[in-house]
Amino acid sequence: MPSTLLTGANSFVGAHVIDALVKAGHHVTGTVRRAAAGDDVVTLHPEWKENFDVVVVEDITNQSLWDKLFTENSFDHVIHVAAPLLDNPAYTDYDRDFLKPNVEGNLALFRSAAQHAPALKSIVVTGSINASSSASKEELLQGPITNETWLPITPAQAREANNAFIWYCSGKKEAELALWDFVKTQSPHFTATVLLPGLIFGPPIEPVKGGPTLGLGFSSGVVYSLFNGSNATVPPTAFPSYIDARDLADAHVRALTEPKVANKRITIGGLPMTNTMLAAELRKLPELAGRVAAESGEDKNVTPADIDAREWNEALGMSFRSLEETMRDTAKRILELEGQA
């Protein structure tokens, strides 16, 4: 049974990756920053208990914590999900909240693995299409987004923008550049793969905190905002491409052992979407009758994202859930959470 380390175990994507790993026959060790967060995951998913345990890594930028973990355990693979999220209102400084934790979070893990994890075969990292594009009209009109496309924004420009979304995009880009520089200069004994998804939708199976927004993450919050009364009409699309979290989780697991994606950054999914399309699928659900935001025509202002992901989708043998299935399952899970609030 492969032993796999998963960072960010209590996150939206992390929970789906754990589920995919367990179903694929892995024993999973998940990291969280607080013990209570790990307890919440275990309590919510007793079906994982035979093949899942939790360790606390309070600061992913602290290499000594990774050194201790790798010295005391032997792992075949690592999936690195943990990273600063866009939707944290406490993140008000580019360098402190986005640049440093993204860059050092990658480098601390990679340096430690290179020094203290001799059995490690591969690391797969959850990157973002925002390392390649901020989805501005100007960028999207430049042509297809490929695995060679990089965000045309420097750290200096990000600081000057004073915008949390631009900070997020720049942080993802700089973290990935640092990772690839490490791989190039240090030639670690394990392979590295970075996945570049767009928006990630799907049923939120991670522990949530409740409250008016149910404690949902950014992408789940986008879906909920279409039927929770916060928008009378459909709001503008944030990024015109998505992937289902369950498909993305499967892609992570397959990438661990697929030679075709070893030491590569790969676009994944690349499925088109607008908020208008999401709302149309949500209106099909009788449970949401009368709740979905009215048409606004926002899709007429959307510049499509031409994401060239076919090579990598085929390399991983991917097939994708329909938008109808993704929205149905996402909404039904959110409604369950509403009932528990």
Side-chain angles (χ1 to χ4, degrees):
M1 174 180 287
S3 179
T4 300
L5 177 68
L6 181 282
T7 73
N10 61 320
S11 67
F12 170 56
V13 172
H16 281 287
V17 174
I18 295 168
D19 193 58
L21 284 167
V22 170
K23 288 176 179 176
H26 291 240
H27 181 276
V28 184
T29 298
T31 75
V32 294
R33 289 185 296 172
R34 297 172 295 104
D39 293 340
D40 290 342
V41 176
V42 172
T43 299
L44 185 61
H45 291 285
E47 72 275 17
W48 296 340
K49 65 180 180 181
E50 296 300 323
N51 293 305
F52 176 63
D53 57 67
V54 179
V55 295
V56 174
V57 177
E58 295 177 347
D59 180 2
I60 64 171
T61 71
N62 185 340
Q63 184 178 331
S64 66
L65 299 179
W66 296 117
D67 291 347
K68 183 175 187 297
L69 182 59
F70 284 126
T71 299
E72 295 177 352
N73 300 271
S74 179
F75 298 106
D76 298 293
H77 308 287
V78 174
I79 295 181
H80 184 36
V81 176
L85 299 175
L86 175 61
D87 54 345
N88 190 330
Y91 291 169
T92 58
D93 183 88
Y94 168 68
D95 290 87
R96 180 193 66 207
D97 300 322
F98 290 98
L99 184 62
K100 179 183 176 182
N102 270 299
V103 172
E104 291 303 321
N106 277 355
L107 291 180
L109 174 66
F110 271 68
R111 289 174 183 140
S112 182
Q115 296 170 14
H116 301 289
L120 193 66
K121 301 177 180 68
S122 62
I123 298 181
V124 172
V125 178
T126 311
S128 171
I129 200 67
N130 291 127
S132 301
S133 173
S134 69
S136 71
K137 183 175 182 179
E138 294 75 17
E139 290 175 28
L140 293 178
L141 289 174
Q142 290 298 310
I145 298 172
T146 73
N147 65 323
E148 297 181 357
T149 306
W150 289 96
L151 180 76
I153 296 174
T154 66
Q157 291 170 328
R159 293 185 189 95
E160 185 177 346
N162 197 29
N163 176 285
F165 176 65
I166 297 301
W167 292 348
Y168 171 81
C169 296
S170 177
K172 301 301 284 188
K173 171 192 174 183
E174 297 305 321
E176 201 188 336
L177 287 173
L179 180 161
W180 292 122
D181 181 68
F182 178 88
V183 170
K184 180 180 179 180
T185 60
Q186 302 301 313
S187 301
H189 59 275
F190 50 82
T191 62
T193 304
V194 179
L195 305 186
L196 305 172
L199 289 175
I200 307 166
F201 298 127
I205 63 171
E206 79 280 13
V208 297
K209 300 175 183 177
T213 62
L214 302 181
L216 298 171
F218 178 79
S219 296
S220 297
V222 168
V223 178
Y224 192 37
S225 75
L226 295 174
F227 66 86
N228 68 358
S230 61
N231 291 295
T233 60
V234 176
T237 298
F239 191 90
S241 181
Y242 84 101
I243 187 172
D244 189 293
R246 295 164 292 188
D247 296 332
L248 179 60
D250 287 341
H252 279 77
V253 177
R254 296 178 186 189
L256 292 172
T257 56
E258 176 50 65
K260 293 178 183 177
V261 301
N263 295 319
K264 297 183 184 297
R265 68 191 304 253
I266 64 170
T267 48
I268 191 72
L271 307 174
M273 57 78 54
T274 64
N275 281 357
T276 297
M277 293 168 62
L278 303 187
E281 297 300 338
L282 293 172
R283 290 192 193 97
K284 295 178 181 179
L285 300 175
E287 303 95 320
L288 295 181
R291 292 188 60 177
V292 181
E295 293 285 358
S296 66
E298 64 83 32
D299 56 323
K300 296 179 176 60
N301 298 316
V302 173
T303 302
D306 181 8
I307 299 175
D308 184 3
R310 183 172 64 177
E311 178 181 357
W312 312 115
N313 291 340
E314 291 178 355
L316 293 178
M318 298 299 299
S319 60
F320 298 102
R321 290 168 172 81
S322 67
L323 184 60
E324 179 179 15
E325 180 180 356
T326 299
M327 287 300 103
R328 181 193 67 219
D329 294 350
T330 302
K332 288 188 174 182
R333 176 57 182 158
I334 292 174
L335 289 172
E336 289 177 2
L337 295 171
E338 266 193 344
Q340 299 168 12

